[in-house]
Amino acid sequence: QAAADPMSSSDAPEDGPKETSSVSQNISDADAFKILLEMKMKKRQKKPSLPSTVTELDTEDGSKVYVVGTAHFSDSSKKDVVKTIQEVQPDVVVVELCQYRVSMLKMDEKTLLKEAKEINLEKLQQAIKQNGVMSGLMQMLLLKVSAHITEQLGMAPGGEFREAFKEASKVPFCKFHLGDRPIPVTFKRAIAALSFWQKVKLAWGLCFLSDPISKDDVEKCKQKDLLEQMMAEMIGEFPDLHRTIVSERDIYLTYMLKQAAKQIELPRASEAEPRKYIPAVVVGVVGMGHVPGIEKNWNSDLNIQEIMSVPPPSASSKIFKFVIKATVFGLMGYGCYRIGQRTVQFILSMPAAQSYLQKLTEIRSQH
């Protein structure tokens, strides 16, 4: 854009705005594209010096994908992402986020830290309204796990994604893609995979999570993301839950990375000029726990239609939903009863009320 768009008179320096403007106007969009592309290619390292957390994958048409395995609560992971993007100058950056979590890219660290620690009734209502009762509760329970880590470390989640977003914006012609499956689909499929008692047991385990966590624990878990490791420990006895939360998302992330790695079409001076394509360079930023699954699925023909469908609620889900609603309404009713009882007692204890009742008693005794 800097090469293609002429500077406005208000922004141009006093010494020679006309010359700068005329030079810019003489550069066509195609020429500007080629100039910036050449600059990008010069900065792109043929043999990049990459962190040990990066896995290199190739496609059949020669495109390269660099998957950065990260810990979601790690300063080291943020540095790995920045270094990788600077070294390879990618055409596309794909992150393990979906449209329901994209807000974390726009918030600053302080706001995110505050948001992550505060799980209140309003957030619960919003999650239920957006995803349904069961999926909403599951989402809030998982947020509680994330909030627990946030509180222990004083570090907001998703720092590596924010760094990826910033660095991608500095690379010419670099696209930024959201590569994770939508949260509502994941949670609804996870709920459908559990029996009634498994739901109760999982909810109980998440509700009473309180083990202390140190920064050393995070770095020790660099080979397996801390958040996913904690979840794996809790859902280890539920293979179907692990399949929906981890394995299916491995497939989805792999599919999105392969889509992003399709060859890039170069600009043409005219419609008569033949189309030319070059291999793409992609950087993927995902939790370390997903890297083995991506490698495993890389050379497979993937169809994500099946893992995007949401099965109808089972009988156990309906029972659990009814129990939750009955419990909530029961607690609300009991609360109203207690509040009403206390209110009546407070009013009756007031001197004016006691005087009024005494007069009523006297009038009744006279009759």
Side-chain angles (χ1 to χ4, degrees):
Q1 287 178 345
D5 296 340
M7 299 173 68
S8 64
S9 57
S10 59
D11 295 331
E14 293 181 3
D15 50 344
K18 292 182 181 179
E19 183 180 349
T20 304
S21 179
S22 62
V23 171
S24 298
Q25 287 175 346
N26 289 333
I27 298 177
S28 66
D29 288 347
D31 289 337
F33 185 99
K34 288 177 182 178
I35 291 171
L36 289 174
L37 188 61
E38 286 175 7
M39 291 171 59
K40 176 177 177 176
M41 292 303 181
K42 286 180 180 179
K43 288 184 69 177
R44 180 179 287 173
Q45 300 296 322
K46 291 183 178 179
K47 293 183 178 180
S49 173
L50 300 172
S52 60
T53 53
V54 176
T55 299
E56 185 177 336
L57 301 168
D58 298 305
T59 66
E60 293 178 356
D61 55 20
S63 295
K64 287 196 174 292
V65 178
Y66 300 92
V67 183
V68 188
T70 67
H72 294 317
F73 293 83
S74 169
D75 286 327
S76 177
S77 285
K78 291 192 280 188
K79 293 175 184 176
D80 289 352
V81 169
V82 172
K83 181 173 177 59
T84 303
I85 292 175
Q86 289 177 349
E87 286 282 316
V88 306
Q89 294 290 298
D91 302 302
V92 186
V93 171
V94 181
V95 295
E96 185 198 328
L97 288 176
C98 69
Q99 65 266 37
Y100 294 92
R101 291 185 291 159
V102 74
S103 60
M104 72 163 53
L105 296 175
K106 303 174 184 177
M107 294 185 189
D108 58 79
E109 195 81 9
K110 187 177 179 182
T111 304
L112 274 166
L113 197 60
K114 183 181 177 183
E115 285 284 321
K117 288 181 179 179
E118 294 178 355
I119 297 180
N120 49 37
L121 184 60
E122 184 180 348
K123 285 187 178 180
L124 176 59
Q125 289 175 334
Q126 185 179 358
I128 290 174
K129 183 179 179 182
Q130 187 179 68
N131 304 316
V133 175
M134 294 304 306
S135 298
L137 287 171
M138 174 68 81
Q139 182 177 348
M140 292 310 295
L141 289 171
L142 292 176
L143 281 175
K144 187 179 185 299
V145 178
S146 179
H148 171 62
I149 302 174
T150 298
E151 189 174 6
Q152 293 282 318
L153 300 182
M155 182 188 297
E160 73 274 33
F161 301 138
R162 290 188 290 281
E163 290 298 326
F165 184 66
K166 290 176 189 174
E167 287 302 314
S169 67
K170 300 175 186 177
V171 179
F173 315 114
C174 182
K175 298 177 182 178
F176 190 84
H177 289 183
L178 304 176
D180 202 3
R181 183 173 64 178
I183 278 181
V185 175
T186 297
F187 286 144
K188 285 174 182 176
R189 287 183 64 84
I191 290 296
L194 296 177
S195 67
F196 173 77
W197 292 113
Q198 285 177 328
K199 293 182 181 77
V200 173
K201 193 172 182 179
L202 178 64
W204 182 268
L206 290 169
C207 284
F208 292 95
L209 177 72
S210 59
D211 293 338
I213 303 162
S214 68
K215 288 191 176 182
D216 288 338
D217 292 331
V218 178
E219 294 309 320
K220 286 176 184 176
C221 292
K222 193 66 179 290
Q223 295 307 311
K224 192 170 184 181
D225 181 59
L226 179 60
L227 179 59
E228 290 177 5
Q229 178 166 316
M230 293 180 69
M231 288 304 303
E233 289 174 358
M234 285 183 285
I235 67 178
E237 58 188 292
F238 311 133
D240 290 334
L241 191 60
H242 184 274
R243 173 177 53 79
T244 54
I245 291 181
V246 180
S247 301
E248 288 184 358
R249 287 173 60 226
D250 289 346
I251 294 171
Y252 191 90
L253 287 164
T254 306
Y255 178 84
M256 294 302 288
L257 285 168
K258 292 178 82 169
Q259 290 297 306
K262 289 183 176 179
Q263 288 193 329
I264 299 169
E265 182 182 350
L266 293 174
R268 295 179 295 164
S270 67
E271 290 295 326
E273 187 178 336
R275 296 178 185 273
K276 293 180 181 179
Y277 297 87
I278 59 171
V281 172
V282 177
V283 169
V285 182
V286 304
M288 182 57 77
H290 289 292
V291 176
I294 291 172
E295 286 187 278
K296 177 184 174 183
N297 293 304
W298 189 250
N299 294 316
S300 303
D301 291 328
L302 303 175
N303 184 356
I304 62 169
Q305 295 302 318
E306 184 182 344
I307 62 171
M308 288 299 290
S309 63
V310 179
S314 62
S316 64
S317 294
K318 292 178 181 178
I319 293 170
F320 192 67
K321 183 177 179 179
F322 174 78
V323 170
I324 291 293
K325 283 187 175 181
T327 303
V328 171
F329 285 118
L331 289 172
M332 288 175 62
Y334 179 71
C336 292
Y337 166 74
R338 293 292 295 172
I339 291 170
Q341 192 179 42
R342 289 178 183 177
T343 303
V344 171
Q345 289 175 350
F346 174 73
I347 292 172
L348 292 177
S349 66
M350 296 175 67
Q354 289 181 350
S355 175
Y356 182 74
L357 288 172
Q358 188 175 2
K359 287 181 181 179
L360 283 176
T361 305
E362 291 174 358
I363 292 170
R364 289 184 65 183
S365 61
Q366 289 176 3
H367 289 286

CSV table of all heavy atoms in Angstrom, one decimal, residues 119 124 127-128 131-146 183-195 198-204 206-207 231 234-235 238 240-242 244-245 320 324:
chain,number,residue,atom,x,y,z
A,119,ILE,N,-15.6,-15.0,36.6
A,119,ILE,CA,-16.6,-15.9,36.1
A,119,ILE,C,-17.9,-15.7,36.9
A,119,ILE,O,-17.9,-16.1,38.1
A,119,ILE,CB,-16.2,-17.4,36.1
A,119,ILE,CG1,-14.9,-17.6,35.2
A,119,ILE,CG2,-17.3,-18.3,35.6
A,119,ILE,CD1,-14.5,-19.0,35.2
A,124,LEU,N,-22.3,-16.9,32.7
A,124,LEU,CA,-23.0,-18.2,32.6
A,124,LEU,C,-24.2,-18.1,31.8
A,124,LEU,O,-24.5,-18.9,30.9
A,124,LEU,CB,-23.3,-18.7,34.1
A,124,LEU,CG,-24.1,-20.0,34.1
A,124,LEU,CD1,-23.3,-21.1,33.5
A,124,LEU,CD2,-24.4,-20.3,35.6
A,127,ALA,N,-23.3,-17.7,28.1
A,127,ALA,CA,-22.8,-19.0,27.6
A,127,ALA,C,-24.0,-20.0,27.3
A,127,ALA,O,-24.0,-20.6,26.3
A,127,ALA,CB,-21.8,-19.7,28.5
A,128,ILE,N,-25.0,-20.0,28.3
A,128,ILE,CA,-26.1,-20.9,28.1
A,128,ILE,C,-27.0,-20.4,26.9
A,128,ILE,O,-27.5,-21.2,26.1
A,128,ILE,CB,-27.0,-20.9,29.4
A,128,ILE,CG1,-26.2,-21.7,30.5
A,128,ILE,CG2,-28.3,-21.6,29.2
A,128,ILE,CD1,-26.8,-21.7,31.8
A,131,ASN,N,-25.0,-21.3,23.7
A,131,ASN,CA,-24.7,-22.7,23.4
A,131,ASN,C,-25.7,-23.7,23.9
A,131,ASN,O,-25.5,-24.9,23.7
A,131,ASN,CB,-23.3,-23.0,23.9
A,131,ASN,CG,-22.2,-22.1,23.4
A,131,ASN,OD1,-22.2,-21.8,22.2
A,131,ASN,ND2,-21.4,-21.6,24.3
A,132,GLY,N,-26.7,-23.2,24.6
A,132,GLY,CA,-27.6,-24.2,25.3
A,132,GLY,C,-27.2,-24.5,26.7
A,132,GLY,O,-26.0,-24.2,27.1
A,133,VAL,N,-28.0,-25.1,27.5
A,133,VAL,CA,-27.8,-25.3,28.9
A,133,VAL,C,-26.5,-26.2,29.1
A,133,VAL,O,-25.6,-25.8,29.8
A,133,VAL,CB,-29.0,-26.0,29.6
A,133,VAL,CG1,-28.7,-26.3,31.0
A,133,VAL,CG2,-30.2,-25.0,29.6
A,134,MET,N,-26.5,-27.4,28.5
A,134,MET,CA,-25.4,-28.3,28.7
A,134,MET,C,-24.1,-27.8,28.2
A,134,MET,O,-23.1,-27.8,28.9
A,134,MET,CB,-25.8,-29.7,28.0
A,134,MET,CG,-27.0,-30.4,28.6
A,134,MET,SD,-26.8,-30.7,30.4
A,134,MET,CE,-25.2,-31.5,30.4
A,135,SER,N,-24.1,-27.3,27.0
A,135,SER,CA,-22.8,-26.8,26.4
A,135,SER,C,-22.4,-25.6,27.1
A,135,SER,O,-21.1,-25.4,27.3
A,135,SER,CB,-23.0,-26.6,24.9
A,135,SER,OG,-23.3,-27.7,24.2
A,136,GLY,N,-23.3,-24.7,27.5
A,136,GLY,CA,-23.0,-23.5,28.2
A,136,GLY,C,-22.3,-23.8,29.6
A,136,GLY,O,-21.3,-23.2,29.9
A,137,LEU,N,-22.8,-24.8,30.3
A,137,LEU,CA,-22.2,-25.2,31.6
A,137,LEU,C,-20.9,-25.8,31.4
A,137,LEU,O,-19.9,-25.6,32.1
A,137,LEU,CB,-23.2,-26.2,32.3
A,137,LEU,CG,-24.4,-25.7,32.9
A,137,LEU,CD1,-25.3,-26.8,33.3
A,137,LEU,CD2,-24.1,-24.7,34.0
A,138,MET,N,-20.7,-26.6,30.3
A,138,MET,CA,-19.4,-27.2,30.0
A,138,MET,C,-18.4,-26.1,29.7
A,138,MET,O,-17.3,-26.2,30.2
A,138,MET,CB,-19.5,-28.2,28.8
A,138,MET,CG,-18.2,-28.7,28.3
A,138,MET,SD,-17.4,-29.9,29.5
A,138,MET,CE,-18.4,-31.4,29.1
A,139,GLN,N,-18.8,-25.1,28.9
A,139,GLN,CA,-17.9,-24.0,28.6
A,139,GLN,C,-17.5,-23.3,29.8
A,139,GLN,O,-16.3,-23.0,30.0
A,139,GLN,CB,-18.6,-23.1,27.6
A,139,GLN,CG,-17.7,-21.9,27.2
A,139,GLN,CD,-18.3,-21.0,26.1
A,139,GLN,OE1,-19.4,-21.4,25.6
A,139,GLN,NE2,-17.7,-19.9,25.9
A,140,MET,N,-18.4,-23.0,30.7
A,140,MET,CA,-18.1,-22.3,32.0
A,140,MET,C,-17.1,-23.1,32.8
A,140,MET,O,-16.2,-22.6,33.5
A,140,MET,CB,-19.3,-21.9,32.7
A,140,MET,CG,-20.2,-20.9,32.0
A,140,MET,SD,-19.3,-19.4,31.5
A,140,MET,CE,-18.8,-18.7,33.0
A,141,LEU,N,-17.3,-24.4,32.9
A,141,LEU,CA,-16.5,-25.3,33.7
A,141,LEU,C,-15.0,-25.3,33.1
A,141,LEU,O,-14.0,-25.2,33.9
A,141,LEU,CB,-17.0,-26.7,33.7
A,141,LEU,CG,-18.3,-26.9,34.6
A,141,LEU,CD1,-18.9,-28.3,34.4
A,141,LEU,CD2,-18.0,-26.6,36.1
A,142,LEU,N,-14.9,-25.3,31.8
A,142,LEU,CA,-13.6,-25.3,31.2
A,142,LEU,C,-13.0,-23.9,31.4
A,142,LEU,O,-11.7,-23.8,31.5
A,142,LEU,CB,-13.7,-25.6,29.7
A,142,LEU,CG,-14.1,-27.1,29.4
A,142,LEU,CD1,-14.2,-27.3,27.9
A,142,LEU,CD2,-13.0,-28.0,29.9
A,143,LEU,N,-13.8,-22.9,31.3
A,143,LEU,CA,-13.3,-21.5,31.6
A,143,LEU,C,-12.7,-21.4,33.0
A,143,LEU,O,-11.8,-20.7,33.3
A,143,LEU,CB,-14.3,-20.5,31.4
A,143,LEU,CG,-14.6,-20.1,29.9
A,143,LEU,CD1,-15.8,-19.1,29.9
A,143,LEU,CD2,-13.4,-19.4,29.3
A,144,LYS,N,-13.4,-22.2,33.9
A,144,LYS,CA,-12.9,-22.2,35.3
A,144,LYS,C,-11.5,-22.8,35.4
A,144,LYS,O,-10.7,-22.3,36.2
A,144,LYS,CB,-13.9,-23.0,36.2
A,144,LYS,CG,-13.6,-22.9,37.7
A,144,LYS,CD,-14.6,-23.7,38.5
A,144,LYS,CE,-14.3,-23.5,40.0
A,144,LYS,NZ,-13.0,-23.9,40.4
A,145,VAL,N,-11.2,-23.8,34.6
A,145,VAL,CA,-9.9,-24.4,34.6
A,145,VAL,C,-8.9,-23.3,34.1
A,145,VAL,O,-7.8,-23.1,34.7
A,145,VAL,CB,-9.8,-25.6,33.7
A,145,VAL,CG1,-8.4,-26.2,33.6
A,145,VAL,CG2,-10.8,-26.7,34.1
A,146,SER,N,-9.3,-22.6,33.0
A,146,SER,CA,-8.4,-21.6,32.5
A,146,SER,C,-8.2,-20.5,33.5
A,146,SER,O,-7.1,-19.9,33.7
A,146,SER,CB,-9.0,-21.0,31.2
A,146,SER,OG,-8.2,-20.0,30.7
A,183,ILE,N,-16.5,-23.5,19.0
A,183,ILE,CA,-16.7,-24.1,20.4
A,183,ILE,C,-18.0,-24.7,20.5
A,183,ILE,O,-18.1,-25.8,21.1
A,183,ILE,CB,-16.5,-22.9,21.4
A,183,ILE,CG1,-15.0,-22.7,21.6
A,183,ILE,CG2,-17.2,-23.2,22.7
A,183,ILE,CD1,-14.7,-21.7,22.7
A,184,PRO,N,-19.2,-24.1,20.1
A,184,PRO,CA,-20.4,-24.8,20.3
A,184,PRO,C,-20.5,-26.2,19.8
A,184,PRO,O,-21.1,-27.1,20.4
A,184,PRO,CB,-21.4,-23.9,19.6
A,184,PRO,CG,-20.8,-22.5,19.6
A,184,PRO,CD,-19.3,-22.8,19.4
A,185,VAL,N,-19.9,-26.4,18.6
A,185,VAL,CA,-19.9,-27.8,18.0
A,185,VAL,C,-19.1,-28.7,18.9
A,185,VAL,O,-19.6,-29.9,19.2
A,185,VAL,CB,-19.3,-27.7,16.6
A,185,VAL,CG1,-19.2,-29.1,16.0
A,185,VAL,CG2,-20.1,-26.9,15.7
A,186,THR,N,-17.9,-28.3,19.3
A,186,THR,CA,-17.1,-29.2,20.2
A,186,THR,C,-17.8,-29.5,21.4
A,186,THR,O,-17.8,-30.7,21.8
A,186,THR,CB,-15.8,-28.4,20.5
A,186,THR,OG1,-15.0,-28.2,19.3
A,186,THR,CG2,-14.9,-29.3,21.4
A,187,PHE,N,-18.4,-28.6,22.1
A,187,PHE,CA,-19.0,-28.8,23.4
A,187,PHE,C,-20.3,-29.7,23.2
A,187,PHE,O,-20.5,-30.6,24.0
A,187,PHE,CB,-19.4,-27.5,24.1
A,187,PHE,CG,-18.2,-26.8,24.7
A,187,PHE,CD1,-18.1,-25.5,24.7
A,187,PHE,CD2,-17.2,-27.6,25.3
A,187,PHE,CE1,-17.0,-24.8,25.3
A,187,PHE,CE2,-16.0,-26.9,25.8
A,187,PHE,CZ,-16.0,-25.6,25.8
A,188,LYS,N,-21.1,-29.4,22.2
A,188,LYS,CA,-22.3,-30.2,22.0
A,188,LYS,C,-21.9,-31.7,21.7
A,188,LYS,O,-22.6,-32.6,22.1
A,188,LYS,CB,-23.1,-29.6,20.9
A,188,LYS,CG,-23.9,-28.4,21.4
A,188,LYS,CD,-24.6,-27.7,20.2
A,188,LYS,CE,-25.2,-26.4,20.7
A,188,LYS,NZ,-25.9,-25.6,19.6
A,189,ARG,N,-20.9,-31.9,20.9
A,189,ARG,CA,-20.5,-33.2,20.6
A,189,ARG,C,-19.9,-33.9,21.8
A,189,ARG,O,-20.0,-35.1,22.1
A,189,ARG,CB,-19.4,-33.2,19.5
A,189,ARG,CG,-20.1,-32.9,18.1
A,189,ARG,CD,-19.0,-33.0,17.0
A,189,ARG,NE,-18.5,-34.4,16.8
A,189,ARG,CZ,-19.0,-35.4,16.1
A,189,ARG,NH1,-20.2,-35.2,15.5
A,189,ARG,NH2,-18.4,-36.5,16.1
A,190,ALA,N,-19.2,-33.1,22.7
A,190,ALA,CA,-18.6,-33.7,23.9
A,190,ALA,C,-19.7,-34.1,24.9
A,190,ALA,O,-19.6,-35.2,25.5
A,190,ALA,CB,-17.7,-32.6,24.5
A,191,ILE,N,-20.7,-33.3,25.0
A,191,ILE,CA,-21.8,-33.6,25.9
A,191,ILE,C,-22.5,-34.8,25.5
A,191,ILE,O,-22.9,-35.7,26.2
A,191,ILE,CB,-22.8,-32.4,26.0
A,191,ILE,CG1,-22.2,-31.2,26.7
A,191,ILE,CG2,-24.1,-32.8,26.7
A,191,ILE,CD1,-21.9,-31.5,28.2
A,192,ALA,N,-22.7,-34.9,24.1
A,192,ALA,CA,-23.5,-36.1,23.6
A,192,ALA,C,-22.7,-37.4,23.8
A,192,ALA,O,-23.3,-38.5,23.8
A,192,ALA,CB,-23.7,-35.9,22.1
A,193,ALA,N,-21.3,-37.3,24.0
A,193,ALA,CA,-20.5,-38.5,24.1
A,193,ALA,C,-20.5,-39.0,25.5
A,193,ALA,O,-20.0,-40.1,25.8
A,193,ALA,CB,-19.1,-38.2,23.7
A,194,LEU,N,-21.1,-38.3,26.5
A,194,LEU,CA,-21.0,-38.7,27.9
A,194,LEU,C,-22.4,-39.2,28.4
A,194,LEU,O,-23.4,-38.8,28.0
A,194,LEU,CB,-20.6,-37.5,28.8
A,194,LEU,CG,-19.2,-36.9,28.6
A,194,LEU,CD1,-19.1,-35.7,29.5
A,194,LEU,CD2,-18.2,-38.0,28.8
A,195,SER,N,-22.3,-40.2,29.3
A,195,SER,CA,-23.5,-40.6,30.0
A,195,SER,C,-23.9,-39.7,31.1
A,195,SER,O,-23.1,-38.7,31.4
A,195,SER,CB,-23.3,-42.0,30.6
A,195,SER,OG,-22.3,-41.9,31.7
A,198,GLN,N,-21.3,-39.7,33.9
A,198,GLN,CA,-20.0,-39.2,33.5
A,198,GLN,C,-20.1,-37.6,33.5
A,198,GLN,O,-19.1,-37.0,33.8
A,198,GLN,CB,-19.7,-39.7,32.1
A,198,GLN,CG,-19.2,-41.1,32.1
A,198,GLN,CD,-19.0,-41.6,30.7
A,198,GLN,OE1,-19.7,-41.2,29.7
A,198,GLN,NE2,-18.0,-42.5,30.6
A,199,LYS,N,-21.2,-37.1,33.1
A,199,LYS,CA,-21.4,-35.6,33.1
A,199,LYS,C,-21.2,-35.1,34.5
A,199,LYS,O,-20.6,-34.1,34.8
A,199,LYS,CB,-22.7,-35.2,32.5
A,199,LYS,CG,-22.9,-35.5,31.0
A,199,LYS,CD,-24.3,-35.0,30.6
A,199,LYS,CE,-24.5,-35.2,29.1
A,199,LYS,NZ,-24.9,-36.6,28.8
A,200,VAL,N,-21.9,-35.8,35.5
A,200,VAL,CA,-21.9,-35.4,36.9
A,200,VAL,C,-20.5,-35.4,37.4
A,200,VAL,O,-20.0,-34.5,38.1
A,200,VAL,CB,-22.8,-36.2,37.7
A,200,VAL,CG1,-22.7,-35.9,39.2
A,200,VAL,CG2,-24.3,-36.0,37.3
A,201,LYS,N,-19.8,-36.6,37.1
A,201,LYS,CA,-18.4,-36.8,37.6
A,201,LYS,C,-17.4,-35.7,37.1
A,201,LYS,O,-16.6,-35.2,37.8
A,201,LYS,CB,-18.0,-38.2,37.2
A,201,LYS,CG,-16.7,-38.6,38.0
A,201,LYS,CD,-16.4,-40.1,37.7
A,201,LYS,CE,-15.2,-40.6,38.4
A,201,LYS,NZ,-14.9,-42.0,38.2
A,202,LEU,N,-17.6,-35.5,35.8
A,202,LEU,CA,-16.7,-34.5,35.1
A,202,LEU,C,-16.9,-33.1,35.7
A,202,LEU,O,-16.0,-32.3,36.0
A,202,LEU,CB,-16.9,-34.5,33.6
A,202,LEU,CG,-16.1,-33.4,32.9
A,202,LEU,CD1,-14.6,-33.7,32.9
A,202,LEU,CD2,-16.5,-33.4,31.4
A,203,ALA,N,-18.2,-32.7,35.9
A,203,ALA,CA,-18.5,-31.4,36.4
A,203,ALA,C,-18.0,-31.3,37.8
A,203,ALA,O,-17.5,-30.2,38.2
A,203,ALA,CB,-20.0,-31.2,36.4
A,204,TRP,N,-18.1,-32.3,38.6
A,204,TRP,CA,-17.6,-32.3,40.0
A,204,TRP,C,-16.1,-32.1,40.0
A,204,TRP,O,-15.6,-31.3,40.8
A,204,TRP,CB,-17.9,-33.6,40.7
A,204,TRP,CG,-17.5,-33.7,42.1
A,204,TRP,CD1,-16.4,-34.2,42.6
A,204,TRP,CD2,-18.3,-33.3,43.2
A,204,TRP,NE1,-16.3,-34.1,44.0
A,204,TRP,CE2,-17.5,-33.6,44.4
A,204,TRP,CE3,-19.5,-32.7,43.4
A,204,TRP,CZ2,-17.9,-33.3,45.7
A,204,TRP,CZ3,-20.0,-32.4,44.7
A,204,TRP,CH2,-19.2,-32.7,45.8
A,206,LEU,N,-14.2,-30.6,37.7
A,206,LEU,CA,-13.8,-29.3,37.3
A,206,LEU,C,-14.2,-28.2,38.3
A,206,LEU,O,-13.5,-27.3,38.5
A,206,LEU,CB,-14.6,-29.0,36.0
A,206,LEU,CG,-14.1,-29.8,34.7
A,206,LEU,CD1,-15.0,-29.6,33.6
A,206,LEU,CD2,-12.7,-29.3,34.3
A,207,CYS,N,-15.3,-28.5,39.0
A,207,CYS,CA,-15.7,-27.5,40.0
A,207,CYS,C,-14.8,-27.4,41.2
A,207,CYS,O,-14.6,-26.3,41.8
A,207,CYS,CB,-17.1,-27.8,40.6
A,207,CYS,SG,-18.5,-27.5,39.4
A,231,MET,N,-6.7,-31.0,31.4
A,231,MET,CA,-7.9,-31.6,30.9
A,231,MET,C,-7.8,-33.1,30.6
A,231,MET,O,-8.7,-33.9,30.9
A,231,MET,CB,-8.3,-30.9,29.6
A,231,MET,CG,-8.8,-29.4,29.9
A,231,MET,SD,-10.2,-29.4,31.1
A,231,MET,CE,-11.4,-30.5,30.3
A,234,MET,N,-8.2,-35.2,33.7
A,234,MET,CA,-9.6,-35.3,34.2
A,234,MET,C,-10.4,-36.1,33.3
A,234,MET,O,-11.4,-36.7,33.7
A,234,MET,CB,-10.1,-33.8,34.4
A,234,MET,CG,-9.6,-33.1,35.6
A,234,MET,SD,-10.4,-31.5,35.8
A,234,MET,CE,-9.6,-30.6,34.6
A,235,ILE,N,-10.2,-36.0,31.9
A,235,ILE,CA,-11.0,-36.7,31.0
A,235,ILE,C,-10.4,-38.1,30.5
A,235,ILE,O,-11.0,-38.7,29.7
A,235,ILE,CB,-11.4,-35.9,29.8
A,235,ILE,CG1,-10.1,-35.6,28.9
A,235,ILE,CG2,-12.0,-34.6,30.2
A,235,ILE,CD1,-10.4,-34.8,27.7
A,238,PHE,N,-12.6,-41.0,30.2
A,238,PHE,CA,-13.7,-40.9,29.3
A,238,PHE,C,-13.1,-40.8,27.8
A,238,PHE,O,-12.9,-39.7,27.3
A,238,PHE,CB,-14.5,-39.6,29.5
A,238,PHE,CG,-14.9,-39.4,31.0
A,238,PHE,CD1,-14.7,-38.2,31.6
A,238,PHE,CD2,-15.5,-40.5,31.7
A,238,PHE,CE1,-15.1,-38.1,32.9
A,238,PHE,CE2,-15.9,-40.3,33.0
A,238,PHE,CZ,-15.7,-39.1,33.6
A,240,ASP,N,-14.4,-41.2,24.9
A,240,ASP,CA,-15.2,-40.5,23.9
A,240,ASP,C,-15.1,-39.0,24.1
A,240,ASP,O,-15.1,-38.2,23.1
A,240,ASP,CB,-16.7,-40.9,24.1
A,240,ASP,CG,-16.9,-42.3,23.7
A,240,ASP,OD1,-16.2,-42.8,22.8
A,240,ASP,OD2,-17.9,-42.9,24.2
A,241,LEU,N,-14.9,-38.5,25.3
A,241,LEU,CA,-14.7,-37.1,25.5
A,241,LEU,C,-13.4,-36.6,25.0
A,241,LEU,O,-13.2,-35.6,24.4
A,241,LEU,CB,-14.8,-36.8,27.0
A,241,LEU,CG,-14.9,-35.3,27.4
A,241,LEU,CD1,-16.1,-34.7,26.8
A,241,LEU,CD2,-14.9,-35.1,28.9
A,242,HIS,N,-12.3,-37.4,25.2
A,242,HIS,CA,-11.0,-37.1,24.6
A,242,HIS,C,-11.1,-37.1,23.1
A,242,HIS,O,-10.4,-36.2,22.5
A,242,HIS,CB,-10.0,-38.2,25.1
A,242,HIS,CG,-8.6,-37.9,24.7
A,242,HIS,ND1,-8.1,-38.2,23.4
A,242,HIS,CD2,-7.6,-37.2,25.3
A,242,HIS,CE1,-6.8,-37.8,23.3
A,242,HIS,NE2,-6.5,-37.2,24.4
A,244,THR,N,-13.6,-36.2,21.2
A,244,THR,CA,-14.3,-35.0,20.7
A,244,THR,C,-13.5,-33.7,21.0
A,244,THR,O,-13.5,-32.8,20.1
A,244,THR,CB,-15.7,-34.9,21.3
A,244,THR,OG1,-15.6,-34.9,22.8
A,244,THR,CG2,-16.6,-36.0,20.9
A,245,ILE,N,-12.9,-33.6,22.1
A,245,ILE,CA,-12.2,-32.4,22.5
A,245,ILE,C,-10.8,-32.3,21.9
A,245,ILE,O,-10.3,-31.2,21.6
A,245,ILE,CB,-12.1,-32.3,24.1
A,245,ILE,CG1,-13.5,-32.0,24.6
A,245,ILE,CG2,-11.2,-31.1,24.5
A,245,ILE,CD1,-13.6,-31.8,26.1
A,320,PHE,N,-30.4,-34.8,32.7
A,320,PHE,CA,-29.4,-33.9,33.3
A,320,PHE,C,-29.9,-32.5,33.2
A,320,PHE,O,-29.8,-31.7,34.1
A,320,PHE,CB,-28.0,-34.1,32.7
A,320,PHE,CG,-26.9,-33.5,33.5
A,320,PHE,CD1,-26.6,-33.9,34.7
A,320,PHE,CD2,-26.2,-32.4,32.9
A,320,PHE,CE1,-25.5,-33.3,35.4
A,320,PHE,CE2,-25.2,-31.8,33.6
A,320,PHE,CZ,-24.8,-32.2,34.9
A,324,ILE,N,-30.7,-29.9,36.2
A,324,ILE,CA,-30.1,-28.6,36.4
A,324,ILE,C,-31.1,-27.5,36.5
A,324,ILE,O,-31.1,-26.6,37.4
A,324,ILE,CB,-29.1,-28.3,35.2
A,324,ILE,CG1,-27.9,-29.3,35.2
A,324,ILE,CG2,-28.7,-26.9,35.1
A,324,ILE,CD1,-27.0,-29.0,36.4
